[in-house]
Amino acid sequence: MKSQQEWKQLKDQTRLETRAFINGEYVSAADGETFSNINPATAETLGQIARCKQHDVDLAVSYARQAFENGCWQHQPPAARKKVLYRFAELIDTHRDTLALLESLDTGKPIAHAHSTDIPGAAASLRWYAEAIDKVYGEVAPTEHDVHAFITHQAMGVVAAVVPWNFPLWLACWKLGPALAAGNSVILKPSEKSSLTAIYLGQLANEAGLPAGVFQVIPGLGHEAGEALARHHDVDCITFTGSTKIAGHLMVCAGETNLKKVWAEAGGKNANIVFANYQDLDKAAAEAAAGCFYNQGEVCVAATRLLVEESIKDAFIDKVVSATQRFAPKDPLDPTSSMGALIDQDHKDKVLSYVDLAQQEGATVLCGGNVNAKGAFVAPVILDNVTNQMRVAREEIFGPVLCVIPFKDEQDAIRIANDSPYGLGAAVWSSDLSQAHRVAKQLEAGSVWVNNYNEGDMTVPFGGFKMSGNGRDKSLHAIEKFTETKTTWIRL
């Protein structure tokens, strides 16, 4: 790991690419317009990003469609596509320092996290799907003796991947991996708050050998470039990670145009349930803090509702407050930093407004709050005396705010956990295996962790119930999202 000074030197030496990547080339937006790219930790303007709009989207979609229909990617043998995707992953690893730096500058996240987790995770995602390309089979139906019926899965066509600003490259690769592995052309639309690593991928795609038009990057504002993709009649699928509000809007856009598939991983208000019988409460407290405050709390599956059995509540919360001390905001380029800045000043203001609202509703602030600094820093907030009916317990804050809610018994814990419009993740801490199974089975969440929080790998799917979205990222199940299922029935 580089020192803080070495990261700053690399920053000074790095030339930022800020243009769109269309049909294998970097180009400015058609009308020449740009928008400012701000470092949230310093309020410094990093550069001017191409502000793509309808014309740019039309151009990218036309190239994507041409590449799909001429078969330059989808008709390559699986072994050939596998080789290219594997090379793409290797190049991300090779450029790890630069990509980690761009991610940290763009989002305010600690450089140590970007370097050790985000960038390697992105590469691992592409590598996993590269390995899967020649291991996914069709099916033969059990029909009458003089019929041969088989089921195949074929690429959809043009996929638009709209990704958020909290894990820009990693979540992009969760979508690029299966979509490209299936043979589609993909247009990546990064958040306007975090475009740099997505744009950088363009040169790596060329070097890896992806044909022109198969992978493109359209930076721009959500209501311009994002809206144009969502309403485009020649886009076959939108895959999205972000807020529930925008997920719903994308579905409306699809319904009003060509009924394109919309796969959305949306918000969460995740319950982390701690029973009194769990034997290592120090471990549970450390993971409760990390589960809520990692990545500045800007995580869809953050453990923001801490449900604690009444008999241990006060003692356990003391342990959580102590464990929270290691999440002290400081310069993201300091490799010892475990907490950086929020994405921008507007988001900081929103997070702090929820803390004010919580106090008005009767909650007590045990620690944390505003940090008086130039950047968008907020110290981890723990709220006690919260009820599940308060807005802070029901609405996704997407920041470092932990709500502590007591429960009486097992059924009370399940009731509180499920009393939410969301259903992304949940955790159970119990030394009673039967209890852990009973509770996990009844929790309305796409992922349930027992005696850990948010562990997993590429072999298991990720997604939510209820207003947390549809479809799944990761695992072989994700490939299914980017294919059409075809039945061929042959009378012999």
Side-chain angles (χ1 to χ4, degrees):
M1 174 66 71
K2 298 180 185 296
S3 68
Q4 183 176 11
Q5 185 58 37
E6 287 172 328
W7 284 116
K8 289 183 176 180
Q9 289 173 352
L10 181 59
K11 171 183 176 291
D12 293 338
Q13 296 164 4
T14 300
R15 186 186 71 83
L16 301 183
E17 178 57 74
T18 59
R19 294 173 293 173
F21 182 73
I22 298 177
N23 200 36
E25 297 180 346
Y26 285 111
V27 295
S28 300
D31 62 7
E33 287 200 36
T34 61
F35 61 93
S36 296
N37 181 212
I38 307 296
N39 181 341
T42 63
E44 166 195 9
T45 298
L46 297 170
Q48 298 295 320
I49 306 292
R51 183 175 172 175
C52 293
K53 298 176 186 173
Q54 185 71 56
H55 179 81
D56 307 285
V57 168
D58 289 344
L59 196 62
V61 172
S62 69
Y63 285 127
R65 178 61 62 188
Q66 290 172 30
F68 181 74
E69 292 186 350
N70 70 30
C72 63
W73 178 245
Q74 67 158 326
H75 292 159
Q76 283 193 33
R81 282 186 282 127
K82 176 178 179 176
K83 183 177 180 180
V84 171
L85 274 191
Y86 210 91
R87 176 62 176 151
F88 202 1
E90 287 179 334
L91 287 167
I92 290 175
D93 279 333
T94 300
H95 291 253
R96 178 177 172 184
D97 283 359
T98 300
L99 288 166
L101 176 65
L102 296 179
E103 209 78 301
S104 181
L105 294 174
D106 230 358
T107 67
K109 69 172 58 197
I111 187 68
H113 294 172
H115 192 266
S116 67
T117 306
D118 291 38
I119 308 308
S125 300
L126 289 184
R127 190 175 294 112
W128 197 88
Y129 284 106
E131 290 287 358
I133 285 177
D134 55 5
K135 299 174 181 65
V136 178
Y137 294 82
E139 307 162 62
V140 175
T143 59
E144 53 196 286
H145 75 281
D146 58 348
V147 168
H148 176 56
F150 55 95
I151 300 97
T152 53
H153 302 276
Q154 62 188 51
M156 301 177 78
V158 178
V159 173
V162 181
V163 298
W165 43 258
N166 57 335
F167 295 97
L169 186 62
W170 198 355
L171 295 186
C173 288
W174 276 13
K175 299 174 188 304
L176 294 179
L180 289 171
N184 297 288
S185 296
V186 182
I187 300 171
L188 177 60
K189 161 61 178 74
S191 166
E192 56 264 37
K193 299 179 181 182
S194 58
S195 303
L196 294 178
T197 51
I199 293 172
Y200 195 92
L201 277 187
Q203 62 178 299
L204 304 187
N206 277 348
E207 190 173 345
L210 277 168
V214 171
F215 171 71
Q216 301 174 91
V217 182
I218 292 289
L221 307 184
H223 68 278
E224 294 175 345
E227 184 86 1
L229 286 166
R231 292 189 173 278
H232 205 290
H233 284 265
D234 214 17
V235 170
D236 300 292
C237 173
I238 292 273
T239 176
F240 170 77
T241 296
S243 73
T244 297
K245 178 181 178 181
I246 299 302
H249 179 68
L250 293 176
M251 292 178 181
V252 170
C253 291
E256 292 178 345
T257 53
N258 63 339
L259 287 181
K260 60 178 64 66
K261 302 290 192 302
V262 178
W263 303 119
E265 189 271 284
K269 198 69 183 179
N270 312 288
N272 187 21
I273 306 170
V274 181
F275 287 98
N277 64 34
Y278 186 63
Q279 295 179 357
D280 191 350
L281 292 177
D282 289 331
K283 175 187 176 183
E287 292 213 27
C292 186
F293 302 131
Y294 182 80
N295 205 56
Q296 302 71 246
E298 297 168 323
V299 184
C300 56
V301 77
T304 51
R305 287 189 299 153
L306 178 58
L307 279 55
V308 187
E309 195 162 357
E310 286 180 347
S311 62
I312 62 166
K313 174 181 168 288
D314 291 343
F316 185 73
I317 296 311
D318 287 343
K319 293 178 182 292
V320 177
V321 171
S322 178
T324 297
Q325 293 176 7
R326 77 182 186 91
F327 292 95
K330 57 181 176 179
D331 182 1
L333 292 186
D334 182 342
T336 67
S337 173
S338 60
M339 191 172 193
L342 299 185
I343 191 64
D344 59 25
Q345 185 63 46
D346 287 344
H347 190 55
K348 173 181 176 176
D349 292 343
K350 173 191 169 185
V351 169
L352 292 176
S353 73
Y354 269 104
V355 178
D356 291 341
L357 173 64
Q359 294 176 89
Q360 294 168 21
E361 292 184 314
T364 303
V365 176
L366 298 182
C367 63
N370 183 44
V371 175
N372 291 316
K374 191 173 184 180
F377 294 96
V378 173
V381 176
I382 298 179
L383 298 173
D384 198 3
N385 300 316
V386 176
T387 71
N388 204 52
Q389 300 311 308
M390 292 181 181
R391 284 182 57 190
V392 288
R394 304 197 68 77
E395 299 176 14
E396 186 179 41
I397 300 172
F398 217 67
V401 180
L402 176 63
C403 298
V404 180
I405 304 172
F407 66 86
K408 294 181 177 65
D409 54 30
E410 183 177 306
Q411 287 306 308
D412 193 35
I414 294 168
R415 178 188 62 79
I416 295 171
N418 289 340
D419 181 18
S420 171
Y422 299 106
L424 190 55
V428 181
W429 298 83
S430 174
S431 292
D432 181 337
L433 183 60
S434 295
Q435 180 183 61
H437 274 284
R438 285 195 307 270
V439 176
K441 186 175 182 179
Q442 295 179 72
L443 291 174
E444 297 168 355
S447 296
V448 177
W449 300 280
V450 176
N451 298 340
N452 71 90
Y453 197 85
N454 199 20
E455 291 185 11
D457 60 22
M458 291 301 298
T459 64
V460 293
F462 179 80
F465 291 9
K466 300 188 283 189
M467 290 182 69
S468 289
N470 58 12
R472 293 296 182 265
D473 287 321
K474 302 198 307 175
S475 82
L476 293 179
H477 294 282
I479 296 179
E480 299 167 7
K481 298 193 311 184
F482 303 113
T483 62
E484 295 286 10
T485 301
K486 175 182 286 187
T487 295
T488 302
W489 184 281
I490 303 174
R491 178 67 63 180
L492 302 176

